Amino acid sequence: MRTEICKKLEIETPIFAFTHCRDVVVAVSKAGGLGVLGAVGFSPEKLKEELDWIDAHIGDLPYGVDVVIPQKYEGMGEMDPEKLESMLKGMVPQEHHDFAAKLLSEHGVPEWPDKDDEMGLLGWNEAMASQLIDVALERPNCRLIANALGTPPADIIKRVQDSGRLIGALCGRVKQAVQHKEAGLDFIIAQGGEGGGHTGDVGSIVLWPQIIDAVGDTPVLAAGGIGDGRQMAAAMCLGAQGVWTGSLWLTVEEAEAEPAQKESYLNATSEDTIRSRSWTGKPCRMLKNAWTEAWEQENTPDPLGMPLQGLVTADGIRRTHTYAAKGDCQKVAFNPVGQVVGQINDVESSRRVVERLLFEYADSITHVNELLEEV
Amino acid sequence: MRTEICKKLEIETPIFAFTHCRDVVVAVSKAGGLGVLGAVGFSPEKLKEELDWIDAHIGDLPYGVDVVIPQKYEGMGEMDPEKLESMLKGMVPQEHHDFAAKLLSEHGVPEWPDKDDEMGLLGWNEAMASQLIDVALERPNCRLIANALGTPPADIIKRVQDSGRLIGALCGRVKQAVQHKEAGLDFIIAQGGEGGGHTGDVGSIVLWPQIIDAVGDTPVLAAGGIGDGRQMAAAMCLGAQGVWTGSLWLTVEEAEAEPAQKESYLNATSEDTIRSRSWTGKPCRMLKNAWTEAWEQENTPDPLGMPLQGLVTADGIRRTHTYAAKGDCQKVAFNPVGQVVGQINDVESSRRVVERLLFEYADSITHVNELLEEV
């Protein structure tokens, strides 16, 4: 089942795996799909290390890199990451820092040992993302760049396309998809509200076909709710050229997360997620817990916008990921995931996930063909 | 494409149309699907009239009737509708009546002319619904009863099944689906959060397959987000035995609604709906407007539970439906609909909708079959 976008990327099967783990990137590309490394948490130096490892293990197969450039954010236009960070830091009320610190401490999350190793601005801005893209474009096997929020700036689109690579972006509204197309993106990722991470509130089954109809011949990848091959078949029936998956890879054998975080995902049902602004400043789907509830109470600070809220929470993200099993850490941990988490109950290898999806896909198509014959 | 449930109901195609309009019921059954009359707004006498008309026009074709018996509600257990109504009326704060009346008046919604023709309790309770079911069971062509909220009481299930009819119920959570199965229901309607009316918040693409897996051989109908044949194909790929549609029928030629209400639906996008408790007391998806916003403000009354909120709003439902084009009526009208409303932009006949769905369905399956051959 090679769609047009598969042919352009020289991959066998239209399964795109978004992940923060380099091992998963390599395993999925080796299984015939395309591994896409989420780079937002990395400094340019750290991204270099990760891509070095990928390049050393992936052979001649392609992969992608995903960045986050919001279309609107505080400090937009400032392209020097240090100046941007220093400007933004002055905008965060102390009350927010104190509230975050109190929540973490009350739930027994250990302090970061090195007080001088302060977390700075994450890559949720053009200043940082542009540097990450520079790193990615040095790698011949990196064949695709995706932006997780909004249409990328024109110069970035040009830079990526001039290098012979594909560039696309996520969206959760028809209007955004049309903007993406008008900006000349090579593909569009339509993410329904079920999806993990930054997401809108229109459900996949409604959103996908509307975006597919609105953007004509621009390929659309379906995101938000793909956990098995039947859901992939549904996406392809609706006209998608492939599936963009994320939650599926959080608990695979190759995923690097701490066992306690994986357990949180494996034990969750589809009703245990919430769209919350409490970590990044924009609505982002994640596991519901004491942290997400605390920021919604009256008489507690309201989450700031992006990327300001990230300055409040970066330390908490690092600590809850690193010390996932300590104290009641999972009650205040940042665990982004889609509603499809309710279907993810077993640890499998990445290859096995790809194979299972294709098997279930074929089964599903056989089933509907048989139904057509029932008269 | 006759699934098992089609064979049991002796219908040609697994398209179930939920509607409050008798004309649509007849037209859909005549087109090969199954028309299902939503009876919640009718008194037993009015329902008799509607079913008389249906029986006179439908020939020997089957149809269904849908009622609303919540699993939990104020006054549960009281089976005398008059006593229930009088008990519940005493529980509604005057503040709520005043707030509702003020909103309607501020938006120029005319008063109901006959002051003595007071709206009473609607059918959102067992006392009323049980009487509606009695009326339905007198009709040989009524072959199916559905409950829109929760598992029906055991004696109602028995009464319907003993009469040789099928009984099923909607649900938005896996746990509810399992309860439905354990209660012995003949079919389950799995409604994703995209759906119109009372609905949960798990998206269809995630919910449907989980419910299908959880209930084994009990047939599942997919609801929430079915607006065309591609979405129907997606539902069948996921293992549904048919589709339960509602929004699709609000604007068809045969639908009785006032033109101004139909316009509201035709002009809405998928982002214009909201899940709100402001009309019925339970989360119900509808067009967002000044009414839904007003009940969410601070310093305004919180919606009561079901069926108390219905006592507050019954007069508003009647007035906003009847005087749909008067004043700013649409800004405070009760217009329940799913997110799929964004795809519904033209007035078609009911027959044409059924035919279009089947045509698009076949097209979609052909498309995925062709994709499988691309290597």
Side-chain angles (χ1 to χ4, degrees), chain A residues 221-302:
Chain A
L221 305 179
I226 305 289
D228 68 29
R230 291 174 296 181
Q231 287 154 331
M232 184 172 169
M236 305 306 274
C237 278
L238 288 160
Q241 279 211 11
V243 291
W244 183 270
T245 56
S247 304
L248 260 181
W249 314 102
L250 293 168
T251 51
V252 289
E253 282 169 16
E254 295 87 350
E256 281 170 306
E258 290 296 313
Q261 189 184 23
K262 286 193 182 179
E263 280 302 308
S264 291
Y265 289 131
L266 292 168
N267 294 334
T269 74
S270 293
E271 290 146 39
D272 294 331
T273 74
I274 191 170
R275 279 172 76 230
S276 167
R277 291 181 50 235
S278 62
W279 284 100
T280 74
K282 285 192 187 278
C284 178
R285 189 174 290 284
M286 58 189 69
L287 293 185
K288 217 180 320 189
N289 61 17
W291 174 281
T292 59
E293 277 164 30
W295 287 88
E296 292 211 342
Q297 299 304 306
E298 289 177 32
N299 308 319
T300 61
D302 287 331

Side-chain angles (χ1 to χ4, degrees), chain A residues 100-114:
Chain A
K102 183 165 160 275
L103 278 174
L104 295 171
S105 137
E106 280 173 359
H107 289 85
V109 182
E111 294 288 335
W112 198 250
D114 180 356

Side-chain angles (χ1 to χ4, degrees), chain B residues 51-64:
Chain B
L51 300 189
D52 280 345
W53 190 93
I54 291 174
D55 286 334
H57 290 81
I58 205 162
D60 56 0
L61 294 166
Y63 62 88

Side-chain angles (χ1 to χ4, degrees), chain A residues 47-293:
Chain A
L47 181 61
K48 272 183 202 164
E49 267 180 54
E50 301 296 296
L51 299 189
D52 280 347
W53 190 92
I54 291 174
D55 285 335
H57 290 82
I58 205 163
D60 57 0
L61 295 166
Y63 61 89
V65 167
D66 177 282
V67 296
V68 185
I69 310 175
Q71 254 177 295
K72 283 183 201 160
Y73 59 93
E74 290 288 350
M76 207 167 150
E78 175 54 68
M79 287 298 287
D80 180 327
E82 282 183 26
K83 282 190 193 161
L84 177 64
E85 182 174 311
S86 127
M87 179 179 84
L88 293 174
K89 278 191 170 169
M91 295 169 69
V92 177
Q94 188 57 38
E95 183 196 5
H96 284 71
H97 287 301
D98 294 346
F99 183 65
K102 183 165 160 275
L103 278 174
L104 295 171
S105 137
E106 280 173 359
H107 289 85
V109 182
E111 294 288 335
W112 198 250
D114 180 356
K115 294 278 177 203
D116 294 333
D117 177 18
E118 207 186 315
M119 284 294 283
L121 197 58
L122 296 177
W124 294 322
N125 56 77
E126 188 183 349
M128 298 279 288
S130 180
Q131 297 191 352
L132 298 174
I133 291 172
D134 286 339
V135 172
L137 296 187
E138 287 164 6
R139 312 295 168 134
N141 292 27
C142 172
R143 304 305 309 156
L144 172 151
I145 300 290
N147 183 34
L149 266 181
T151 309
D155 64 309
I156 289 186
I157 299 178
K158 186 170 185 317
R159 196 147 38 112
V160 175
Q161 290 178 335
D162 285 352
S163 78
R165 293 171 174 84
L166 302 186
I167 180 163
L170 271 86
C171 60
R173 305 171 64 154
V174 174
K175 206 173 125 186
Q176 292 167 336
V178 172
Q179 278 170 15
H180 284 352
K181 182 189 169 71
E182 285 169 357
L185 290 182
D186 300 300
F187 64 97
I188 288 164
I189 304 159
Q191 168 156 298
E194 295 90 334
H198 295 110
T199 197
D201 68 356
V202 179
S204 289
I205 196 87
V206 171
L207 184 75
W208 294 340
Q210 287 191 46
I211 286 187
I212 287 161
D213 289 346
V215 302
D217 53 6
T218 304
V220 173
L221 305 179
I226 305 289
D228 68 29
R230 291 174 296 181
Q231 287 154 331
M232 184 172 169
M236 305 306 274
C237 278
L238 288 160
Q241 279 211 11
V243 291
W244 183 270
T245 56
S247 304
L248 260 181
W249 314 102
L250 293 168
T251 51
V252 289
E253 282 169 16
E254 295 87 350
E256 281 170 306
E258 290 296 313
Q261 189 184 23
K262 286 193 182 179
E263 280 302 308
S264 291
Y265 289 131
L266 292 168
N267 294 334
T269 74
S270 293
E271 290 146 39
D272 294 331
T273 74
I274 191 170
R275 279 172 76 230
S276 167
R277 291 181 50 235
S278 62
W279 284 100
T280 74
K282 285 192 187 278
C284 178
R285 189 174 290 284
M286 58 189 69
L287 293 185
K288 217 180 320 189
N289 61 17
W291 174 281
T292 59
E293 277 164 30

Side-chain angles (χ1 to χ4, degrees), chain A residues 1-3 7 172-174 194 201-206 208-210 212-213 224-225 228 230-231 233-234 236-240 270-271 339-340 342-343 361 364-365 367-369 371-372 374-375, chain B residues 1-3 7 172-174 194 201-206 208-210 212-213 224-225 228 230-231 233-234 236-240 270-271 339-340 342-343 361 364-365 367-369 371-372 374-375:
Chain A
M1 184 197 8
R2 294 183 80 211
T3 59
K7 292 173 189 166
R173 305 171 64 154
V174 174
E194 295 90 334
D201 68 356
V202 179
S204 289
I205 196 87
V206 171
W208 294 340
Q210 287 191 46
I212 287 161
D213 289 346
D228 68 29
R230 291 174 296 181
Q231 287 154 331
M236 305 306 274
C237 278
L238 288 160
S270 293
E271 290 146 39
Q339 288 183 336
V340 77
Q343 275 170 250
Y361 181 90
S364 176
I365 305 297
H367 167 70
V368 286
N369 280 321
L371 277 185
L372 272 183
E374 291 282 328
V375 285
Chain B
M1 185 196 11
R2 293 183 81 210
T3 59
K7 293 174 189 165
R173 306 171 66 156
V174 175
E194 295 90 334
D201 68 355
V202 178
S204 289
I205 197 87
V206 171
W208 295 339
Q210 287 190 47
I212 287 162
D213 289 347
D228 67 28
R230 293 174 296 181
Q231 287 154 330
M236 304 306 275
C237 278
L238 289 160
S270 293
E271 289 146 40
Q339 289 183 336
V340 78
Q343 275 168 250
Y361 181 89
S364 176
I365 305 297
H367 167 70
V368 287
N369 279 320
L371 277 185
L372 272 183
E374 291 283 327
V375 285

Side-chain angles (χ1 to χ4, degrees), chain B residues 55-278:
Chain B
D55 286 334
H57 290 81
I58 205 162
D60 56 0
L61 294 166
Y63 62 88
V65 166
D66 177 282
V67 296
V68 185
I69 310 174
Q71 255 177 296
K72 284 183 202 161
Y73 60 94
E74 289 288 350
M76 207 168 150
E78 176 54 67
M79 287 297 289
D80 179 330
E82 282 182 28
K83 282 190 192 161
L84 178 64
E85 183 175 309
S86 129
M87 179 179 85
L88 293 173
K89 278 191 170 169
M91 295 169 69
V92 177
Q94 188 57 37
E95 183 196 5
H96 284 70
H97 287 302
D98 294 345
F99 184 64
K102 182 164 161 275
L103 278 174
L104 296 171
S105 136
E106 280 174 358
H107 290 85
V109 182
E111 294 287 336
W112 198 250
D114 180 356
K115 295 278 177 202
D116 295 332
D117 177 17
E118 207 186 316
M119 283 294 283
L121 197 57
L122 296 178
W124 295 321
N125 56 77
E126 188 182 349
M128 298 279 288
S130 179
Q131 297 192 352
L132 299 174
I133 291 172
D134 287 338
V135 173
L137 297 188
E138 288 164 6
R139 312 295 168 134
N141 291 27
C142 173
R143 304 305 309 155
L144 172 150
I145 300 289
N147 183 33
L149 268 180
T151 309
D155 65 307
I156 288 186
I157 298 178
K158 185 169 184 317
R159 198 150 32 117
V160 175
Q161 290 177 336
D162 284 353
S163 79
R165 294 172 173 84
L166 301 185
I167 180 164
L170 270 85
C171 60
R173 306 171 66 156
V174 175
K175 207 172 124 186
Q176 292 166 336
V178 172
Q179 277 170 15
H180 284 352
K181 183 190 168 70
E182 285 169 356
L185 291 182
D186 299 299
F187 65 96
I188 288 165
I189 304 159
Q191 169 155 294
E194 295 90 334
H198 296 110
T199 196
D201 68 355
V202 178
S204 289
I205 197 87
V206 171
L207 184 74
W208 295 339
Q210 287 190 47
I211 287 186
I212 287 162
D213 289 347
V215 302
D217 53 6
T218 303
V220 173
L221 304 178
I226 306 289
D228 67 28
R230 293 174 296 181
Q231 287 154 330
M232 184 173 168
M236 304 306 275
C237 278
L238 289 160
Q241 279 212 12
V243 291
W244 182 270
T245 57
S247 304
L248 261 179
W249 314 102
L250 294 168
T251 52
V252 289
E253 283 169 16
E254 295 87 351
E256 282 170 303
E258 290 297 313
Q261 189 185 25
K262 286 193 181 179
E263 279 303 307
S264 291
Y265 289 131
L266 292 169
N267 294 335
T269 74
S270 293
E271 289 146 40
D272 294 331
T273 74
I274 190 170
R275 279 171 77 231
S276 166
R277 292 181 49 234
S278 62

